[in-house]
């Protein structure tokens, strides 16, 4: 079943948190300090917004928990996240953005997303009622709907290894014809950050702010942990 919706390119939604130390990417600590984790979150958000800005869309919406900062490019409508759990916030992000056109929503955890992937999701919604992007950890990185329906999201268990499967089952149980996109890695852990940064590094050069930030923080950590010449010579600071 494919519900009718307005023509033209889909609207694009990014749901995100303001990158404040201690409030974002807490699973990156203690490998990274809270400030470093926030820097990685901001870099991932900037790369995500850059990809969205480069994708033709009816509208570009940032559903934000927090306040906009200098990382927000022009051309985005900012809405305030509503609801208690993530399922409620996602449901409200869709309904608050609805303007009669299909909607594609992503988070801020996949800085490797490209305009080509987003355009692919938009094209899928011309033929299908929904499009789903699975994450390698069992969650999902993208959800597109021709027409929002809060019942598709409310009550879906979030931040679990079965979140993506539960959401996909919910979509299919509602009779929606679902297109699937390639799986991407969400950046939640230090291993995720290293993996995504490596994938974004070509010919020894990081591409994008996220990969560059991971590389810079890695160099800083190596510098902090490197022994001094005195330590190498056995001449530590006297007690």
């Amino acid at each position: 079943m494919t519900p009718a919706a307005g023509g033209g390119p889909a609207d694009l939604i990014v749901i995100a948190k303001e990158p404040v130390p201690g409030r974002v990417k807490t699973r990156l600590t203690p490998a990274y300090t809270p400030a470093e984790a926030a820097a990685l979150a901001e870099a991932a958000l900037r790369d995500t917004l850059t990809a969205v800005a480069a994708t033709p869309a009816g509208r570009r919406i940032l559903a934000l928990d927090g306040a906009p900062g200098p990382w927000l490019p022009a051309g985005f409508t900012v809405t305030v996240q509503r609801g208690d759990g993530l399922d409620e916030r996602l449901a409200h992000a869709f309904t608050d953005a609805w303007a009669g056109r299909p909607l594609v929503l992503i988070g801020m955890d996949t800085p490797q997303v490209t305009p080509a992937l987003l355009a692919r999701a938009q094209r899928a919604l011309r033929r299908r009622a929904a499009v789903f992007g699975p994450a390698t950890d069992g969650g999902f990185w993208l959800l597109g709907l021709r027409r929002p329906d809060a019942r598709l999201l409310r009550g879906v268990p979030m931040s679990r290894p079965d979140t993506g499967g539960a959401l996909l089952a919910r979509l299919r149980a509602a009779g929606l014809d679902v297109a699937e996109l390639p799986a991407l890695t969400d950046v939640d852990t230090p291993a995720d950050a290293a993996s995504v940064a490596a994938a974004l590094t070509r010919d020894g050069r990081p591409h994008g702010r996220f990969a560059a930030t991971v590389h810079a923080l890695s160099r800083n950590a190596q510098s902090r942990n490197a022994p001094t010449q005195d330590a190498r010579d056995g001449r530590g600071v006297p007690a």
Side-chain angles (χ1 to χ4, degrees):
M1 179 177 68
T2 304
D11 293 344
L12 299 177
I13 309 168
V14 178
I15 187 165
K17 283 184 178 180
E18 179 187 2
V20 175
R23 293 194 65 240
V24 292
K25 294 293 164 218
T26 55
R27 290 174 62 190
L28 292 178
T29 59
Y32 294 97
T33 68
E36 290 171 339
L40 287 170
E42 179 175 331
L45 179 55
R46 283 180 179 268
D47 283 349
T48 301
L49 295 173
T50 296
V52 170
T55 306
R59 285 193 308 156
R60 299 174 185 88
I61 300 122
L62 175 64
L64 183 62
D65 177 6
W71 38 262
L72 179 63
F76 282 78
T77 298
V78 178
T79 62
V80 178
Q81 289 184 28
R82 300 189 293 125
D84 294 327
L86 181 55
D87 60 329
E88 289 281 344
R89 289 174 177 252
L90 290 168
H92 283 303
F94 273 102
T95 56
D96 290 348
W98 173 244
R101 291 180 295 272
L103 294 163
V104 172
L105 177 144
I106 61 172
M108 60 185 285
D109 297 338
T110 49
Q112 69 273 47
V113 70
T114 63
L117 276 172
L118 295 173
R120 181 173 169 181
Q122 290 176 314
R123 289 194 301 272
L125 287 176
R126 297 174 189 167
R127 306 179 304 276
R128 307 287 188 92
V131 59
F132 176 81
T136 56
D137 63 359
F140 65 98
W141 67 270
L142 178 146
L143 176 63
L145 297 170
R146 284 184 64 85
R147 185 181 297 275
D149 183 345
R151 294 171 297 180
L152 297 172
L153 286 155
R154 286 188 178 130
V156 173
M158 294 289 160
S159 303
R160 294 182 1 182
D162 61 346
T163 293
L167 176 57
L168 188 57
R170 180 80 65 91
L171 297 173
R172 288 174 171 160
L176 301 186
D177 186 14
V178 183
E180 292 193 48
L181 295 181
L184 294 185
T185 297
D186 276 344
V187 175
D188 291 319
T189 67
D192 297 335
S195 174
V196 170
L200 291 170
T201 300
R202 294 181 286 278
D203 299 324
R205 297 178 57 191
H207 290 256
R209 294 179 179 87
F210 180 80
T213 302
V214 171
H215 281 258
L217 291 176
S218 177
R219 288 195 301 270
N220 291 344
Q222 291 171 359
S223 177
R224 287 196 302 266
N225 296 330
T228 64
Q229 185 63 50
D230 282 349
R232 288 194 295 269
D233 293 342
R235 299 194 304 271
V237 177

